[in-house]
Amino acid sequence: MAAAVVVARGAGARAATAATLRGGCGTAARGRPCVGPARPLCAAPGTAPDMKRYLWERYREAKRSTEELVPSIMSNLLNPDAIFSNNEMSLSDIEIYGFDYDYTLVFYSKHLHTLIFNAARDLLINEHRYPAEIRKYEYDPNFAIRGLHYDVQRAVLMKIDAFHYIQLGTVYRGLSVVPDEEVIEMYEGSHVPLEQMSDFYGKSSHGNTMKQFMDIFSLPEMTLLAIEADIEKYICYAEQTRAVLAKLADHGKKMFLITNSPSSFVDKGMSYIVGKDWRDLFDVVIVQAEKPNFFNDKRRPFRKMNEKGVLLWDKIHKLQKGQIYKQGNLYEFLKLTGWRGSRVLYFGDHIYSDLADLTLKHGWRTGAIIPELRSELKIMNTEQYIQTMTWLQTLTGLLEQMQVHRDAESQLVLQEWKKERKEMREMTKSFFNAQFGSLFRTDQNPTYFLRRLSRFADIYMASLSCLLNYDVSHTFYPRRTPLQHELPAWSERPPTFRTPLLQEAQAK
């Protein structure tokens, strides 16, 4: 998302930067004549140019242009409750809606993450003989972000971009950052070869050394969660979940639930956030599905569970509304329901185990639930962020344009600019997370996470409640952001369609 937004907003910044850089002093954008960049302003005929003065004048002019641009960007803030599109899709074509459970229909509080952390820590001490001293470590919800890679052999956690390059400064061993020099020595540079990356589902296997943490939390044993008495403490009540399901039901849409969580866990949570009659809203409910195996293994049959949670062993000939089924596989699911192709839209939070196989192998449309999106967009709507990013892009363009000047005086100025750029990049990272930055972007590239999100999700949003802002026949159009070899001039004009802006949403 950050990549899309920065590109969309950055088009205007690039246009202003280009207007500034096309002229020797940047005045061409205001209609006054100027000389080209090859000849400094203050170079009189027959005299040596004062390169230092010339470059700093260009710098100040670019700064002024940036400051003039910021107010127009501030008037077009993005709506954190919008749905964003990677692929054109019309909801009028969708007849069947499917959902994951955890972090799709239900969200959890930080107290649950603390509970999981403490349970895992105690397990290491009591069962695996880890030193009792690790009990002093408490869960820090602000340390890491989703989508990071963990090198199992070297015991380091890091952020990797879409091109398999490690973002230096984001490599941690324990809670300590690993110096860039050590990282470069370990990996003979900052690139991680394909054969060392995780497998298709983000796991470390078949000799791969990397594991990617794609889901918001992983529970090795659901029995750790005896939370019935404290459900208000662990589940974030979301009344809009019922509103979304009721809206779809009112429009005659079929709905199903496929989750890896057990029946009792799902029933307790859904009864709390939706109501005791939650099963009446779903045509099919499948628990302990063991995704992603559910989408690939044709051998596992469905088994029906009775009201007491006892597993029945009768052969399943039909998936009945109001019943709960365990395990099974997608091929049998398709055979029993006939729900195939692009009329099915499935929502989940795990890019690999929820969405990848569905879009690549089965032709379903997919929607990714990315809770972090809302908080990141709110940060990106702040004036400080907009000012910093706009100037950072302008300064980068200035560096690219002025690097043709190779004399010693010019190079000293350019080194100062590079230092400022490096400091600003570190600042933009800390806006989101002090250790790892944005979920969606490294310094300048999309993250590995965003690359997979763009490939496997037709649309993505912060929560299902975003659907309430759209008609059931709404068509989502992806932004046509300029490619590296395309001119950004078209984006200076008001677009025919765009994702909802905050100002527009508030007007409604």
Side-chain angles (χ1 to χ4, degrees):
M1 177 56 215
V5 175
V6 169
V7 169
R9 286 177 170 167
R14 288 197 303 273
T17 303
T20 301
L21 297 181
R22 279 195 294 269
C25 60
T27 56
R30 293 196 283 266
R32 301 199 300 272
C34 64
V35 294
R39 182 183 175 190
L41 281 173
C42 49
T47 63
D50 183 348
M51 292 305 302
K52 182 177 180 180
R53 179 183 173 189
Y54 163 68
L55 291 173
W56 282 112
E57 285 182 357
R58 297 295 301 276
Y59 174 96
R60 287 188 288 272
E61 183 63 34
K63 193 88 165 182
R64 285 192 293 270
S65 296
T66 299
E67 292 169 355
E68 293 170 359
L69 182 64
V70 168
S72 65
I73 300 177
M74 288 296 299
S75 66
N76 290 282
L77 301 181
L78 285 162
N79 180 11
D81 293 317
I83 294 177
F84 300 90
S85 175
N86 292 320
N87 193 18
E88 185 173 328
M89 185 187 74
S90 177
L91 292 181
S92 62
D93 297 329
I94 305 301
E95 301 172 13
I96 305 126
Y97 286 76
F99 306 92
D100 181 32
Y101 176 68
D102 297 303
Y103 281 100
T104 299
L105 289 174
V106 63
F107 288 81
Y108 300 100
S109 71
K110 61 182 180 181
H111 299 295
L112 178 61
H113 297 171
T114 302
L115 175 69
I116 297 169
F117 179 91
N118 291 342
R121 182 190 59 196
D122 294 343
L123 184 68
L124 290 176
I125 296 171
N126 299 331
E127 302 294 332
H128 298 282
R129 299 183 179 180
Y130 272 65
E133 286 76 13
I134 69 172
R135 206 183 299 275
K136 69 181 181 181
Y137 291 105
E138 300 293 334
Y139 174 65
D140 180 2
N142 300 314
F143 175 72
I145 62 173
R146 192 154 47 128
L148 300 177
H149 281 80
Y150 183 71
D151 189 322
V152 178
Q153 293 182 347
R154 298 179 176 90
V156 291
L157 188 67
M158 70 191 72
K159 187 178 179 184
I160 296 179
D161 72 12
F163 303 98
H164 294 195
Y165 281 92
I166 300 167
Q167 181 179 357
L168 297 177
T170 69
V171 182
Y172 279 76
R173 182 177 289 114
L175 300 176
S176 301
V177 66
V178 180
D180 294 349
E181 299 78 12
E182 185 177 342
V183 175
I184 292 171
E185 183 179 353
M186 278 194 294
Y187 293 95
E188 297 181 353
S190 59
H191 184 264
V192 180
L194 177 63
E195 61 269 17
Q196 292 184 26
M197 297 293 285
S198 56
D199 68 9
F200 182 79
Y201 297 105
K203 300 176 181 178
S204 175
S205 60
H206 305 296
N208 298 325
T209 62
M210 294 285 187
K211 172 181 171 57
Q212 188 176 20
F213 296 99
M214 294 295 281
D215 53 352
I216 298 178
F217 70 91
S218 298
L219 300 181
E221 294 291 339
M222 290 301 297
T223 52
L224 287 173
L225 302 180
I227 66 170
E228 294 191 7
D230 298 316
I231 194 166
E232 297 87 354
K233 181 178 180 181
Y234 296 111
I235 292 183
C236 298
Y237 181 68
E239 59 182 11
Q240 289 182 315
T241 296
R242 182 179 179 89
V244 170
L245 299 176
K247 176 181 178 180
L248 296 177
D250 290 344
H251 284 85
K253 305 298 182 181
K254 295 184 180 299
M255 289 181 285
F256 64 92
L257 170 64
I258 303 178
T259 175
N260 288 349
S261 295
S263 175
S264 59
F265 184 69
V266 174
D267 181 64
K268 190 65 180 179
M270 289 297 287
S271 296
Y272 176 66
I273 66 172
V274 176
K276 294 290 185 181
D277 60 344
W278 68 270
R279 277 190 280 175
D280 295 341
L281 293 170
F282 291 91
D283 294 88
V284 178
V285 175
I286 301 169
V287 299
Q288 291 180 266
E290 296 184 18
K291 296 176 293 183
N293 292 335
F294 179 87
F295 301 127
N296 299 289
D297 190 344
K298 300 180 181 181
R299 299 168 297 177
R300 300 183 312 142
F302 284 108
R303 291 288 181 256
K304 187 165 69 172
M305 303 183 73
N306 65 16
E307 292 298 324
K308 296 182 179 180
V310 176
L311 197 62
L312 305 179
W313 292 91
D314 299 334
K315 182 175 176 60
I316 303 301
H317 299 283
K318 182 180 180 181
L319 297 177
Q320 299 174 317
K321 187 169 184 176
Q323 301 297 318
I324 294 181
Y325 299 89
K326 180 181 177 180
Q327 294 186 347
N329 65 84
L330 184 62
Y331 298 90
E332 188 69 13
F333 178 89
L334 297 176
K335 180 180 177 181
L336 294 172
T337 63
W339 295 345
R340 300 177 182 275
S342 58
R343 64 195 183 112
V344 183
L345 172 59
Y346 184 80
F347 293 93
D349 74 294
H350 196 297
I351 307 303
Y352 293 143
S353 63
D354 281 329
L355 308 180
D357 288 312
L358 293 177
T359 186
L360 294 179
K361 298 180 181 180
H362 302 287
W364 286 7
R365 308 311 293 266
T366 53
I369 304 300
I370 313 294
E372 302 94 334
L373 183 60
R374 184 174 282 113
S375 60
E376 290 217 4
L377 280 173
K378 289 179 179 179
I379 292 170
M380 295 169 71
N381 280 340
T382 62
E383 184 172 1
Q384 183 184 14
Y385 177 86
I386 291 172
Q387 287 177 337
T388 302
M389 282 304 304
T390 306
W391 173 235
L392 178 59
Q393 291 178 256
T394 302
L395 181 61
T396 300
L398 195 63
L399 273 165
E400 183 177 21
Q401 184 81 1
M402 294 296 105
Q403 64 181 328
V404 296
H405 301 293
R406 299 294 181 181
D407 59 282
E409 191 175 48
S410 297
Q411 288 299 306
L412 287 175
V413 175
L414 295 179
Q415 287 302 317
E416 289 190 49
W417 293 357
K418 289 179 180 178
K419 181 181 177 182
E420 180 183 357
R421 180 172 179 261
K422 182 178 180 180
E423 292 171 351
M424 291 180 66
R425 287 166 77 170
E426 187 64 27
M427 183 191 304
T428 58
K429 184 184 80 170
S430 64
F431 284 151
F432 302 99
N433 176 281
Q435 291 74 229
F436 301 100
S438 168
L439 170 64
F440 304 97
R441 178 180 287 281
T442 59
D443 287 327
Q444 70 279 342
N445 293 330
T447 58
Y448 194 88
F449 176 89
L450 182 62
R451 179 183 181 184
R452 312 309 278 178
L453 173 66
S454 302
R455 179 67 181 90
F456 300 141
D458 292 291
I459 56 176
Y460 59 103
M461 65 210 76
S463 70
L464 281 177
S465 64
C466 298
L467 283 170
L468 296 173
N469 301 323
Y470 298 84
D471 187 82
V472 292
S473 61
H474 184 88
T475 298
F476 296 101
Y477 297 96
R479 288 170 176 253
R480 183 182 173 88
T481 53
L483 302 176
Q484 294 295 322
H485 63 274
E486 292 179 325
L487 291 174
W490 63 268
S491 59
E492 296 179 68
R493 298 189 293 273
T496 306
F497 49 81
R498 58 180 179 234
T499 55
L501 302 176
L502 184 58
Q503 180 177 318
E504 296 171 348
Q506 291 172 339
K508 294 179 181 179

